[in-house]
């Protein structure tokens, strides 16, 4: 039983071996009002001993189930309770009894505290690891002592997301004070070790009553722009990240701020990374930011995380886990690269390591999906970027039914011109399903230069927007015709002759079409070239034809013959080769119009509605040359030179008018040729002179040209007469006719009334 408690000394009457053995204990130790009763050295009334240590700690508690008492003294299994001001146990931590720990209480397990009659409450020097929970943090120390100075942690570390070594940290009943932090050895997420001490940062540690968490903050001192640096990370070469601040909270939140303004680094020598922040988690550190593989048309990853973790070999670069599937189009083809992970979440595709990016995927047509190549491998190194096939089991189809196409054995595409753009996809293999084609000798190489589309009739496929130096070309493969048909429009394409983009340069506008297949082929084009300003010739028109095509098909394309004929006088000439059953050969035509050279003036004096006078004139030159290889080899030519002068005068008094126009046209036409097979030669020359005069008279609201004045309510009643005189002379020579020479003059006079 309890015998007494006087002058801060404790006397116990304890039943021990059925004998009463009194003992006295010195100061430094006092007990509470309720004590356990011991029998034979063991507590028997199931009450924990509440006592005060060193007059400082008033809430010491000894677990009766583990504490003992004998003649030598007491061994108390002690928990030190604190009352940290403002501290709230927001985590809901429970003690060993399953009870919620009170606010402000750290519940520090001191182990066995010895109290005896000689030393009283003995000074305790830690022999085991002392662990103190601070929210989700843990404070650890294996070098500590408990004395009249308090609980002094001589050395230890705070695991606060970063590992912070410390010395001489003192835990008092209501506060944690003193302490020196050894920040020359700071570890991030047990992965990266930072140098801190040499940067002499400002460090603060304590309880934040506002946020109700413990907080550790490391910031630069006023003389320094940053508090640490991260260097020599695998895959980053000599890149250094400057750490501006480190803030960690016992709630589990952690923030490392790095200076990122304008900083761009190369990762694994193949990708550019622009860091924006840093995240820490259990076992790894992640740099977050923008990742750019610097591949044309390839997407940029806006929220990329580059992770580092530690294994038995040291710090290694972890596989980035947040790459997304990639789908992009280039030069008429569409690539798809998917992310693949194993059951543990480890990246299997792509493989992004030091020196390369390797990503397996597929390629198909940009629009319709007429083909799919599996498996294509995107491989980027520091020197090149390529995509190539890794299996021969690929097919390019010419038709949706899959009966015609190419068995592909190799396909590739690469970035060219110093990384500025992609080449076209090229593939090679053997043709199949092609009528008349020996598959054993059908090895072919093809280049995709545009998107393949199925024409609505389903009998052809089209490749549109094939880029050329002159414009975009469209190509159609017609299965019914078994022919490849292409077309291209040239819209003001520069031909030089002036500064780029200036109005003074020559430019070409026109159309080109081609056909290849079914035993025939041709290329045809027509247009006009606008020349730099020279005061003489401003435009030249031209057309050409080259090929071998039957007359039936040519009659279905009348534009070819009509265009060639337009370069002759009144459309009167067509090269003889266009009359063959199979048109085979080359034809080139050109023409230009020019004014009469000085001193012949051009006059235009419009003083409508009362008076108008004009004098206009011009010259034109046309030529057509053809070489035929059809029924016979022959050379034919045509030339036309002509000019005109037109004078006009008119007058009006509003209620009446009179005008006269006189025009003179002269044309010289020459054509001929030689048949190299029969040695026949022919020649035809003619001169045509035409005079045309027109006189008009009218009454009503008429202007000087005897046209109605728009705002006048009365009409203009016009009467006119036109007279035409035409004189034609020609000469013919033909070695295949008799007589070989002919000459004639044909006059023609006609008067028209309108």
């Amino acid at each position: 039983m309890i015998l007494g408690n006087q002058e801060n000394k404790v006397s116990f009457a304890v039943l021990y071996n059925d004998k009463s053995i009194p003992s006295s204990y010195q100061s430094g130790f006092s007990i509470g009002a309720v004590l356990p009763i011991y029998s034979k050295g063991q507590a028997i009334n199931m009450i924990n001993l509440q006592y005060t240590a060193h007059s400082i700690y008033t809430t010491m508690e000894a677990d009766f189930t583990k504490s003992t008492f004998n003649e030598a003294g007491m061994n108390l299994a002690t928990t030190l309770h604190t009352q940290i001001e403002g501290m709230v146990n927001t985590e809901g931590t429970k003690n060993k009894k399953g009870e919620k720990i009170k606010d402000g209480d750290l519940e520090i397990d001191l182990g066995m505290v010895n109290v005896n009659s000689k030393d009283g409450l003995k000074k305790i020097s830690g022999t085991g690891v002392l662990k103190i929970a601070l929210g989700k943090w843990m404070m650890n120390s294996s070098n500590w002592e408990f004395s009249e100075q308090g609980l002094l942690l001589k050395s230890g570390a705070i695991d606060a997301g970063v590992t912070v070594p410390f010395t001489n940290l003192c835990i008092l009943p209501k506060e944690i004070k003193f302490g020196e932090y050894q920040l020359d050895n700071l570890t991030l997420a047990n992965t990266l070790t930072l140098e801190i001490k040499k940067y002499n940062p400002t460090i603060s540690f304590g309880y934040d009553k506002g946020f109700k968490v413990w907080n550790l903050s490391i910031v630069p001192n006023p003389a320094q722009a940053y508090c640490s640096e991260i260097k020599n990370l695998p895959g980053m070469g000599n890149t250094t990240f400057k750490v501006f601040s480190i803030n960690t909270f016992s709630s589990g939140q952690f923030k490392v701020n790095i200076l990122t303004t304008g900083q761009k680094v190369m990762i694994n020598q193949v990708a550019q990374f622009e860091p924006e922040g840093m995240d820490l988690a259990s076992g790894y550190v992640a740099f977050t930011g923008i990742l750019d593989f610097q591949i044309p048309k390839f997407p940029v990853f806006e929220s990329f995380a580059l992770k580092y973790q530690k294994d038995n070999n040291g710090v290694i670069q972890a596989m980035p886990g947040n790459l997304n599937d990639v789908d992009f189009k280039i030069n008429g083809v569409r690539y798809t690269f998917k992310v693949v992970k194993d059951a543990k979440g480890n990246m299997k595709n792509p493989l992004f390591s030091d020196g390369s990016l390797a990503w397996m995927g597929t390629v198909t047509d940009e629009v319709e999906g007429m083909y799919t190549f599996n498996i294509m491998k995107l491989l980027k190194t520091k020197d090149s970027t390529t995509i190539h096939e890794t299996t021969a089991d690929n097919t390019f189809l010419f038709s949706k039914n899959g009966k015609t196409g190419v068995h592909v054995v190799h396909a590739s595409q690469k970035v060219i011109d110093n990384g500025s753009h992609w080449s076209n996809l090229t593939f090679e293999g053997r043709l199949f399903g092609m009528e008349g084609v020996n598959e054993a000798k059908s090895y072919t190489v093809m280049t995709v230069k545009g998107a393949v589309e199925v024409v609505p009739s389903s009998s052809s496929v089209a490749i549109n927007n094939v880029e050329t130096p002159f414009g975009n070309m469209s190509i159609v493969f017609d299965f019914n015709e078994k022919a490849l048909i292409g077309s291209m429009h040239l819209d003001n394409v520069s031909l030089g002759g002036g500064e780029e983009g200036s109005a003074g340069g020559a430019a070409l506008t026109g159309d080109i079409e081609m056909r290849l297949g079914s035993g025939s082929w041709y290329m045809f084009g027509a247009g006009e070239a606008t020349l730099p300003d020279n005061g003489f010739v401003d435009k030249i028109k031209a057309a050409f034809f080259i090929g071998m095509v039957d007359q039936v098909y040519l009659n279905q394309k009348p534009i070819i013959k009509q265009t060639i004929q337009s370069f002759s006088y009144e459309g009167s000439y067509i090269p003889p080769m266009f009359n063959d059953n199979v048109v085979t050969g080359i034809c080139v035509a050109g023409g230009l119009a020019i004014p009469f050279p000085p001193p012949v003036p051009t006059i235009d004096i419009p003083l409508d509605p009362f008076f108008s006078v004009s004098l206009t004139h011009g010259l034109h030159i046309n030529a057509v040359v053809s070489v035929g290889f059809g029924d016979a080899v022959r050379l034919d030519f045509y030339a036309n030179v002509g000019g005109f002068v037109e004078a006009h005068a008119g007058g009006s008094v509003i209620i009446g008018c009179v005008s006269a126009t006189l025009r003179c046209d002269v044309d010289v036409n020459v054509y001929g040729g030689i048949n190299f097979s029969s040695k026949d030669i022919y020649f035809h020359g003619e001169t045509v002179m035409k005079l045309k005069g027109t006189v008009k008279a009218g009454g009503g609201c008429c202007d000087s040209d005897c046209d109605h004045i728009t705002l006048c309510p009365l009409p203009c009643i016009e009467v006119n007469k036109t007279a035409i005189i035409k004189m034609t002379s020609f000469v013919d020579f033909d070695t295949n006719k008799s007589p070989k020479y002919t000459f004639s003059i044909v006059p023609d006079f006609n008067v028209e009334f309108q």
Side-chain angles (χ1 to χ4, degrees):
M1 60 174 58
I2 303 173
L3 297 180
N5 179 5
Q6 58 183 357
E7 296 181 0
N8 208 26
K9 293 184 180 181
V10 182
S11 298
F12 288 95
V14 181
L15 295 175
Y16 183 79
N17 293 329
D18 297 327
K19 294 181 180 180
S20 179
I21 305 175
S23 300
S24 296
Y25 294 84
Q26 298 178 0
S27 61
F29 174 82
S30 61
I31 61 173
V34 181
L35 299 174
I37 299 175
Y38 285 78
S39 176
K40 296 183 179 180
Q42 300 296 325
I44 61 173
N45 66 340
M46 309 296 288
I47 299 174
N48 284 348
L49 173 65
Q50 308 290 327
Y51 68 94
T52 298
H54 304 303
S55 302
I56 300 176
Y57 301 95
T58 61
T59 54
M60 308 290 283
E61 181 179 7
D63 186 348
F64 72 89
T65 63
K66 297 179 181 179
S67 300
T68 62
F69 175 84
N70 55 33
E71 292 91 339
M74 294 181 290
N75 290 306
L76 305 178
T78 299
T79 298
L80 186 155
H81 295 282
T82 61
Q83 302 94 36
I84 303 295
E85 292 183 356
M87 175 182 164
V88 178
N89 183 18
T90 58
E91 303 300 324
T93 306
K94 295 182 180 181
N95 59 23
K96 297 176 182 179
K97 297 179 182 179
E99 301 169 341
K100 182 180 181 296
I101 298 177
K102 296 179 181 180
D103 291 343
D105 193 355
L106 296 177
E107 281 208 1
I108 303 171
D109 184 0
L110 293 180
M112 287 295 182
V113 176
N114 181 261
V115 184
N116 58 54
S117 59
K118 179 180 179 181
D119 301 314
L121 180 60
K122 295 180 65 175
K123 177 180 178 182
I124 305 172
S125 295
T127 56
V129 178
L130 190 67
K131 295 184 177 182
I132 304 171
L134 303 175
K136 292 184 177 180
W137 293 357
M138 186 63 68
M139 184 182 295
N140 303 291
S141 176
S142 58
N143 183 14
W144 56 276
E145 65 180 26
F146 184 62
S147 67
E148 62 274 7
Q149 303 300 322
L151 177 58
L152 178 65
L153 308 184
K154 294 183 177 181
S155 64
I158 301 173
D159 185 0
V162 294
T163 303
V164 184
F166 62 81
T167 59
N168 300 321
L169 187 146
C170 187
I171 299 178
L172 296 175
K174 295 185 178 182
E175 63 179 330
I176 298 177
K177 60 187 304 185
F178 311 120
E180 297 177 2
Y181 302 96
Q182 308 299 317
L183 295 178
D184 54 338
N185 186 24
L186 181 65
T187 303
L188 300 179
N190 297 317
T191 303
L192 301 181
T193 300
L194 303 184
E195 288 187 275
I196 297 289
K197 186 175 182 180
K198 75 175 186 179
Y199 300 95
N200 192 27
T202 300
I203 303 149
S204 61
F205 170 75
Y207 189 79
D208 189 319
K209 297 178 182 178
F211 290 100
K212 298 181 175 58
V213 290
W214 293 93
N215 170 244
L216 176 70
S217 176
I218 305 171
V219 297
N221 67 47
Q224 188 79 358
Y226 46 90
C227 64
S228 185
E229 293 177 297
I230 302 174
K231 303 178 180 179
N232 303 319
L233 292 175
M236 285 200 184
N238 297 323
T239 300
T240 297
F241 290 109
K242 293 179 171 57
V243 179
F244 175 71
S245 64
I246 301 171
N247 285 279
T248 180
F249 305 91
S250 61
S251 59
Q253 293 179 306
F254 196 99
K255 185 67 175 177
V256 177
N257 295 311
I258 57 177
L259 297 175
T260 62
T261 305
Q263 187 173 14
K264 295 181 180 180
V265 300
M266 291 301 295
I267 298 178
N268 293 334
Q269 305 179 68
V270 296
Q272 180 178 273
F273 181 58
E274 185 175 351
E276 295 180 333
M278 193 173 176
D279 290 333
L280 277 71
S282 178
Y284 72 83
V285 174
F287 294 91
T288 59
I290 301 172
L291 183 70
D292 185 359
F293 284 103
Q294 297 181 308
I295 299 174
K297 304 290 186 179
F298 206 75
V300 173
F301 297 90
E302 298 286 348
S303 301
F304 177 76
L306 180 63
K307 297 180 181 179
Y308 288 89
Q309 62 186 16
K310 192 174 185 180
D311 65 5
N312 295 332
N313 297 320
V315 178
I316 64 171
Q317 179 174 327
M319 189 64 201
N322 64 331
L323 289 174
N324 302 320
D325 295 346
V326 172
D327 190 304
F328 70 105
K329 301 175 182 179
I330 47 174
N331 298 354
V333 298
R334 177 178 180 175
Y335 282 102
T336 300
F337 296 96
K338 292 186 176 297
V339 173
V340 180
K341 299 180 181 180
D342 62 18
K344 296 182 179 180
N346 298 318
M347 188 77 70
K348 295 180 63 179
N349 187 45
L351 298 179
F352 181 34
S353 57
D354 194 13
S356 70
L357 168 72
W359 205 333
M360 308 301 291
T362 62
V363 60
T364 185
D365 174 58
E366 179 179 321
V367 179
E368 188 63 24
M370 291 294 291
Y371 57 89
T372 298
F373 293 170
N374 293 302
I375 297 290
M376 302 294 287
K377 180 178 183 180
L378 168 66
L379 178 63
K380 179 173 184 184
T381 67
K382 65 178 182 178
D383 300 317
S384 64
T385 302
T386 61
I387 301 177
H388 62 276
E389 96 300 331
T390 58
T391 175
D393 187 22
N394 287 311
T395 303
F396 178 89
L397 300 178
F398 286 142
S399 61
K400 272 191 168 181
N401 60 22
K403 294 182 179 180
T404 57
V406 179
H407 288 305
V408 177
V409 298
H410 179 68
S412 65
Q413 196 165 7
K414 62 182 179 180
V415 174
I416 58 177
D417 294 340
N418 296 319
S420 62
H421 63 278
W422 285 92
S423 67
N424 294 311
L425 174 65
T426 299
F427 60 91
E428 55 190 83
R430 297 195 180 280
L431 298 171
F432 67 90
M434 304 292 282
E435 182 179 345
V437 176
N438 185 342
E439 291 192 16
K441 300 180 179 180
S442 65
Y443 198 87
T444 185
V445 178
M446 302 187 71
T447 300
V448 178
K449 292 190 174 181
V452 177
E453 300 177 8
V454 175
V455 176
S457 65
S458 297
S459 63
S460 60
V461 295
I463 301 178
N464 293 325
N465 298 322
V466 179
E467 294 184 3
T468 76
F470 306 106
N472 289 343
M473 175 177 283
S474 296
I475 301 174
V476 175
F477 186 87
D478 192 310
F479 295 102
N480 292 331
E481 295 286 337
K482 293 183 174 60
L484 196 65
I485 302 169
S487 63
M488 179 171 63
H489 176 68
L490 289 73
D491 187 9
N492 205 32
V493 177
S494 175
L495 298 177
E499 294 184 4
E500 185 175 353
S502 69
L508 179 63
T509 299
D511 293 277
I512 298 175
E513 66 178 42
M514 56 161 284
R515 183 178 189 269
L516 176 63
S518 297
S520 64
W521 63 275
Y522 76 84
M523 182 175 288
F524 168 71
E528 66 177 23
T530 303
L531 303 182
D533 187 11
N534 54 42
F536 191 58
V537 180
D538 57 353
K539 291 182 179 180
I540 297 177
K541 294 185 177 182
F544 73 92
F545 172 90
I546 178 172
M548 180 179 68
V549 61
D550 61 76
Q551 192 67 238
V552 175
Y553 182 83
L554 198 63
N555 289 335
Q556 297 174 4
K557 301 282 291 184
I559 187 65
I560 296 176
K561 288 184 179 181
Q562 292 171 1
T563 301
I564 299 299
Q565 285 179 303
S566 69
F567 288 89
S568 63
Y569 177 72
E570 295 182 346
S572 59
Y573 177 80
I574 185 73
M577 77 174 196
F578 284 97
N579 297 320
D580 294 341
N581 291 329
V582 178
V583 178
T584 306
I586 303 171
C587 179
V588 179
L592 57 87
I594 57 176
F596 276 100
V600 181
T602 297
I603 301 173
D604 186 11
I605 306 176
L607 298 175
D608 280 338
F610 305 106
F611 180 71
S612 63
V613 175
S614 66
L615 177 65
T616 57
H617 49 79
L619 297 174
H620 57 264
I621 302 172
N622 296 288
V624 181
V625 178
S626 66
V627 179
F629 303 101
D631 299 336
V633 179
R634 59 188 302 150
L635 170 67
D636 299 280
F637 67 90
Y638 170 87
N640 161 252
V641 178
F644 77 94
V645 176
E646 182 177 293
H648 169 81
S652 172
V653 291
I654 305 301
I655 59 173
C657 68
V658 62
S659 71
T661 303
L662 180 63
R663 179 184 174 103
C664 177
D665 288 270
V666 178
D667 279 276
V668 178
N669 304 300
V670 177
Y671 61 86
I674 179 171
N675 187 321
F676 293 100
S677 300
S678 63
K679 305 298 191 293
D680 291 329
I681 300 174
Y682 78 100
F683 173 84
H684 174 86
E686 67 179 21
T687 301
V688 180
M689 182 178 69
K690 183 168 67 175
L691 295 175
K692 179 180 179 180
T694 300
V695 177
K696 296 181 181 180
C701 288
C702 304
D703 63 11
S704 60
D705 292 325
C706 290
D707 294 326
H708 175 249
I709 298 175
T710 303
L711 299 179
C712 182
L714 297 176
C716 178
I717 310 274
E718 172 200 322
V719 177
N720 67 71
K721 291 185 177 182
T722 299
I724 300 175
I725 300 176
K726 183 177 181 181
M727 182 72 70
T728 304
S729 61
F730 61 86
V731 59
D732 278 320
F733 172 79
D734 193 333
T735 58
N736 197 33
K737 291 183 179 180
S738 181
K740 296 181 179 181
Y741 302 94
T742 58
F743 175 78
S744 64
I745 299 176
V746 181
D748 186 8
F749 178 78
N750 184 35
V751 177
E752 299 177 358
F753 297 94
Q754 298 181 356

